[in-house]
Amino acid sequence: NVTLSVESHNGEIEKFIGDCVMASFPAEQPKEAIHAAIDILRRTSRMSLAMNSILSEKRISCGIGMAIGSTIEGNVGSGTRMDYTILGDVVNTAQRLEQLTRLLPFYLAMTPELKDVVTSDFNCVNMGAYDLKGKQNSVEIFSIDLPETRKAINS
């Protein structure tokens, strides 16, 4: 359960967008965000194994994009329709990273800024520089090197 993984690590689900979950964590707790992501990937892997024994079809997986930075949060819209959300470049970057995980050998992708604050607790691996929509320069992308973050060769 994504909600349980996020909330048990002091995060908050901001919204569900199709099959995407947007969550935020307190700025002073970036390691909790990483722990939540790892927990989500563990749960997804267990669910995929259980489903494969029943359906033996396509593997269930998820990509996680993570970035750290300033956001604006609140209600946006008009008098007839309001939506609580978080906005900012960091939100767009995380979403672009999530999309990039489809091409990477890892399910988790994060920015150098996040890597810099969590690298003492996690073994980070450099995935190379990528062009992200909305960014002037290429961005170095990192992941956490754990079995649950690595994709299987034929997944």
Side-chain angles (χ1 to χ4, degrees):
N1 182 314
V2 172
T3 303
L4 180 62
S5 296
V6 169
E7 291 176 352
S8 68
H9 291 283
N10 302 317
E12 185 175 329
I13 300 288
E14 299 299 339
K15 65 172 50 180
F16 295 94
I17 309 162
D19 65 355
C20 175
V21 176
M22 181 170 49
S24 65
F25 292 80
E28 66 279 359
Q29 296 182 336
K31 293 172 189 168
E32 287 298 311
I34 299 290
H35 286 295
I38 293 166
D39 190 41
I40 290 166
L41 292 171
R42 283 184 182 136
R43 290 171 186 267
T44 302
S45 179
R46 285 195 300 263
M47 184 173 64
S48 181
L49 288 172
M51 294 301 291
N52 282 348
S53 67
I54 297 167
L55 301 175
S56 71
E57 287 185 17
K58 197 170 186 179
R59 178 175 162 76
I60 297 170
S61 65
C62 72
I64 300 175
M66 303 181 78
I68 190 170
S70 299
T71 60
I72 298 169
E73 61 182 287
N75 289 313
V76 294
S78 68
T80 58
R81 177 153 162 68
M82 296 293 280
D83 186 32
Y84 182 84
T85 192
I86 56 175
L87 303 168
D89 181 59
V90 66
V91 176
N92 296 331
T93 299
Q95 190 263 341
R96 306 275 192 275
L97 292 176
E98 181 278 325
Q99 291 174 338
L100 188 60
T101 63
R102 295 172 183 128
L103 305 174
L104 299 173
F106 286 80
Y107 294 113
L108 186 149
M110 65 181 163
T111 60
E113 296 82 8
L114 181 54
K115 186 266 311 178
D116 289 345
V117 297
V118 302
T119 195
S120 63
D121 290 57
F122 299 97
N123 183 22
C124 297
V125 58
N126 188 325
M127 306 300 299
Y130 290 85
D131 293 329
L132 301 179
K133 183 178 175 184
K135 298 287 186 186
Q136 230 174 330
N137 299 316
S138 296
V139 178
E140 290 283 330
I141 307 301
F142 295 86
S143 191
I144 304 294
D145 192 13
L146 290 171
E148 45 272 81
T149 62
R150 279 186 238 115
K151 291 181 181 176
I153 301 292
N154 45 353
S155 65

